[in-house]
Amino acid sequence: MNTPQHVAIIMDGNGRWAERRGQTRTSGHRKGVEAVRGAVRSAGELGVKYLTLFAFSSENWRRPEDEVNDLMGLLKVFIRRDLAELHRENVRVRIIGDRQTLKHDILALLTEAEDLTRNNRALELIIAFNYGGRDDIARAARLLASKAARGEIDPASICEETISAALDTADIPDPDMIIRTSGEQRISNFLIWQAAYAEFVFLPCLWPDFDRASFEDALREFGSRDRRFGNVAERDLALGS
Ligand code: FPP
């Protein structure tokens, strides 16, 4: 099967999963963390090399304070509990998103996870935290503008590659497939630059129900797509049409 090198996931539906069971949104997010563990395992087993998970968007700060604190807490617990095992499994952990507005304790934890796993090669687990696609591009623009102002780069030399290299995802290949669960069909400011040629797969299941079979369904769907990157289909090339 044609396996995507980089899969990115918008993990949607934790709240609805909990509401349908008469439970709190927090319990939905907690169940969502279990699905994260499963997704990391499945990605490794299925031969995916990069897995990016949208854990907290720059817009999620608008949620009630309690829920924001719960999401921060869950990420901390995940790193504390799972880091040793991720390291044993040769998983490299990386964080994308704006670090400047994060509290010191969470930033320290995320940096520790990145430092410990820096040389791991089986799978790259990229956690998008305090991440927004437009914010990523705006920070890259500021970086390039300040380099130009210092005379380090020529503004006329700025091209697509220069911008890609100034994003949080600098040395990570663009996602081949973006999965969104819960039936919603939006990109919600996730990897908007990097998604230029990604295949979108929308799954009806809510994130806490995402399992190995859901991952395989998405991979099958990806395998059935004809990726042309602006070119014509290989079949048409062969026919000379
Ligand atoms: C969307 O569900 C989910 C989120 C905003 C957060 C996702 C976070 C986790 C799964 C836990 C932490 C992550 C890691 C990597 C440990 P929603 O609340 O918007 O659901 P709804 O649309 O049904 O309300």
Side-chain angles (χ1 to χ4, degrees):
M1 190 165 63
N2 175 18
T3 304
Q5 180 179 214
H6 182 175
V7 175
I9 310 184
I10 302 175
M11 310 181 285
D12 198 9
N14 294 347
R16 274 163 286 172
W17 184 93
E19 275 154 28
R20 283 179 198 173
R21 287 165 177 74
Q23 297 176 14
T24 59
R25 294 179 60 80
T26 309
S27 64
H29 293 315
R30 226 172 257 146
K31 201 74 186 163
V33 177
E34 286 177 31
V36 164
R37 292 193 178 100
V40 174
R41 206 172 314 117
S42 299
E45 288 168 3
L46 292 165
V48 170
K49 298 308 283 180
Y50 300 83
L51 177 69
T52 301
L53 302 177
F54 204 4
F56 191 87
S57 77
S58 32
E59 288 74 33
N60 284 154
W61 293 105
R62 296 180 195 145
R63 293 190 178 209
E65 197 183 334
D66 281 357
E67 187 169 343
V68 169
N69 290 337
D70 281 340
L71 286 167
M72 299 279 160
L74 281 174
L75 181 74
K76 283 197 264 186
V77 170
F78 173 73
I79 300 280
R80 286 202 192 104
R81 280 207 198 138
D82 292 51
L83 182 58
E85 186 176 349
L86 290 167
H87 187 41
R88 248 193 328 274
E89 296 291 330
N90 200 16
V91 175
R92 179 176 184 185
V93 178
R94 299 175 71 167
I95 313 298
I96 56 170
D98 183 7
R99 296 169 189 238
Q100 282 195 334
T101 48
L102 291 180
K103 284 200 183 135
H104 177 74
D105 61 338
I106 201 156
L107 188 59
L109 208 54
L110 297 177
T111 311
E112 179 195 329
E114 287 186 316
D115 289 347
L116 177 72
T117 61
R118 192 164 301 278
N119 297 317
N120 292 348
R121 289 290 171 265
L123 169 73
E124 290 208 9
L125 170 62
I126 300 141
I127 302 176
F129 197 76
N130 197 21
Y131 181 84
R134 287 182 173 180
D135 179 63
D136 194 3
I137 296 167
R139 284 185 286 107
R142 281 200 293 278
L143 181 75
L144 293 173
S146 56
K147 282 188 177 175
R150 288 196 301 268
E152 291 167 16
I153 55 168
D154 174 3
S157 72
I158 295 175
C159 58
E160 291 183 17
E161 286 73 23
T162 335
I163 295 173
S164 289
L167 295 169
D168 289 341
T169 46
D171 54 349
I172 298 168
D174 286 343
D176 302 291
M177 168 167 72
I178 296 185
I179 300 173
R180 182 171 189 145
T181 56
S182 92
E184 308 284 348
Q185 303 193 352
R186 288 186 294 279
I187 190 163
S188 298
N189 200 16
F190 185 44
L191 299 174
I192 50 176
W193 172 278
Q194 298 86 339
Y197 287 101
E199 294 293 330
F200 286 84
V201 175
F202 300 107
L203 298 177
C205 69
L206 302 175
W207 176 250
D209 294 324
F210 182 93
D211 57 11
R212 166 82 180 229
S214 323
F215 212 138
E216 287 175 357
D217 284 346
L219 291 183
R220 246 190 313 277
E221 174 61 32
F222 176 83
S224 73
R225 303 273 177 95
D226 179 18
R227 300 186 83 202
R228 296 202 290 274
F229 301 97
N231 201 338
V232 292
E234 273 181 30
R235 170 179 42 84
D236 295 337
L237 279 177
L239 292 172
S241 58

